[in-house]
Amino acid sequence: MGLVPNPDGSVSSAVSTASTPGAATSGAPGTSGAPVSSSAPKAVDKESTAGILFGIGAYGLWGLLPLYFFVLQPASAVEIVANRVVWSLIFCALLITVTRAWRVLGAALRNRSVLGTLAAAAGLIAVNWLTYTYGVTTGQAVETSLGYFINPLVSVLLGVFVLKERLRPLQWAAVGIGFIAVGVLTVSYGKLPWIALTLAVSFGLYGFVKKRVGPRVDAVTSLTVESIVLAPLAAATMVVLAATGTASLTTQGAGHFWLLLASGVITAVPLVFFGASARRLPMTTIGLLQYFAPVLQFIVALLVFREAMTPERWIGFGVVWLALLVLTVDMLAATRRSSAARRLARREARAGA
């Protein structure tokens, strides 16, 4: 599936559990050829379990994010995003201080290639956050969840048109089904589902841009640089809102004030969880866990916000889910073939030795 999308847009390189600490141990000194220690499988299982729990934590928090935006009313989408940027920057600065990573941040800011790429990423994630927050705060949370369901299909299309990748038959089938779903939903909504499409495209492009940075920048440093890029505009927005009397930060009581300040923590914590998960799990598992977020968003929209779902919309969503099912089946089959090929190569290498 190429890029692994997630609601904060970060793209971390996930390594297979075979390369995690404790995944393989050599024999003790003087016991050349001794069997691998029995503690190795236990260590791998422990790492995999921790990775899955971190992944569920990250995608679970992203999936429940609409509830947080709901309790921030009457704050507007613009005010929420502006506060999110400013307080995220402050919280990230605290994290970098605790982890003593200021040199890493300085290196990223001095590297023109990294800084330019992350500046572009910052613009894309700003569009994504504004669209997502607008959708949730205006009673269109169902459509925002649709955007993240469609996102994997956008990632596949980016692979074709930008990276010139060749798709497998099932991938082409999934993309075709996805286009049919958009057509059905357009008829259902009476208009193009622009919120969902904006989220999917901006998020897909964001993931693609972040992929160019690769492992040169960790998740927290990346978020910090992006926040630094956006902070001047975000701070200016907060000042303008306060000057025009449309800011809610200091006018809705202490509870509202601290809830808005908490946006920094709420933005950064799932990102840290995702990084911990990506280090412990293969990309296939991360790719499956990503569906937690839009599923939870969809459930919240229906059960908590009581948004309407017409029969036509159910059909449209059903077609989207069919496309994702086809894409997931293809991904699992490709992973299985790749694993079998690696095992065969290792056996042939051992036989040749």
Side-chain angles (χ1 to χ4, degrees):
M1 279 171 53
L3 307 177
V4 176
N6 44 78
D8 69 353
S10 65
V11 178
S12 300
S13 58
V15 293
S16 66
T17 51
S19 63
T20 54
T25 56
S26 59
T31 59
S32 177
V36 175
S37 169
S38 61
S39 63
K42 293 180 180 179
V44 172
D45 290 342
K46 187 175 180 180
E47 284 290 289
S48 297
T49 300
I52 290 173
L53 291 176
F54 276 122
I56 291 174
Y59 286 111
L61 288 171
W62 283 322
L64 296 175
L65 202 57
L67 293 175
Y68 172 64
F69 294 152
F70 182 75
V71 300
L72 288 179
Q73 292 180 345
S76 66
V78 172
E79 183 180 11
I80 291 172
V81 172
N83 276 271
R84 190 176 181 181
V85 169
V86 171
W87 305 123
S88 293
L89 177 58
I90 293 173
F91 184 71
C92 285
L94 292 175
L95 282 179
I96 289 175
T97 300
V98 171
T99 57
R100 299 178 180 180
W102 284 104
R103 287 186 179 180
V104 176
L105 175 62
L109 291 172
R110 289 190 297 271
N111 188 317
R112 291 186 178 182
S113 174
V114 169
L115 180 59
T117 302
L118 291 180
L124 289 167
I125 201 60
V127 171
N128 186 270
W129 282 358
L130 279 169
T131 305
Y132 180 73
T133 310
Y134 170 79
V136 172
T137 56
T138 56
Q140 302 175 83
V142 165
E143 191 175 339
T144 64
S145 72
L146 175 64
Y148 291 112
F149 279 125
I150 295 175
N151 185 67
L153 300 174
V154 173
S155 295
V156 170
L157 288 175
L158 284 172
V160 173
F161 293 110
V162 180
L163 301 178
K164 306 302 180 182
E165 294 177 353
R166 297 180 62 182
L167 296 189
R168 296 181 291 271
L170 280 180
Q171 289 177 311
W172 276 118
V175 170
I177 294 170
F179 276 110
I180 293 173
V182 171
V184 172
L185 289 164
T186 298
V187 173
S188 169
Y189 281 96
K191 62 180 177 63
L192 200 67
W194 70 268
I195 290 177
L197 293 176
T198 301
L199 287 174
V201 172
S202 63
F203 209 20
L205 289 172
Y206 178 79
F208 173 75
V209 170
K210 290 289 287 288
K211 192 73 172 178
R212 293 183 60 187
V213 177
R216 290 181 291 172
V217 182
D218 63 87
V220 174
T221 301
S222 177
L223 178 62
T224 305
V225 174
E226 291 164 32
S227 298
I228 289 172
V229 172
L230 296 174
L233 181 58
T237 299
M238 292 174 65
V239 170
V240 171
L241 291 175
T244 57
T246 55
S248 67
L249 179 63
T250 59
T251 62
Q252 301 296 316
H256 183 80
F257 175 83
W258 289 109
L259 277 172
L260 267 176
L261 260 66
S263 60
V265 178
I266 291 170
T267 297
V269 168
L271 178 63
V272 174
F273 282 2
F274 176 77
S277 176
R279 287 193 297 272
R280 292 170 170 83
L281 297 176
M283 291 296 281
T284 305
T285 306
I286 294 290
L288 294 175
L289 287 175
Q290 69 172 307
Y291 296 126
F292 266 88
V295 166
L296 283 175
Q297 291 164 6
F298 184 73
I299 292 173
V300 167
L302 291 187
L303 300 184
V304 180
F305 299 160
R306 303 291 183 179
E307 293 188 13
M309 278 291 289
T310 63
E312 293 82 3
R313 291 183 187 179
W314 278 114
I315 293 172
F317 269 82
V319 178
V320 170
W321 294 332
L322 175 61
L324 293 178
L325 177 62
V326 171
L327 202 59
T328 301
V329 168
D330 176 80
M331 176 184 65
L332 293 175
T335 301
R336 192 177 297 112
R337 289 193 297 269
S338 178
S339 297
R342 286 196 298 268
R343 288 195 298 270
L344 178 61
R346 285 196 295 267
R347 284 198 297 267
E348 290 177 348
R350 285 197 295 268

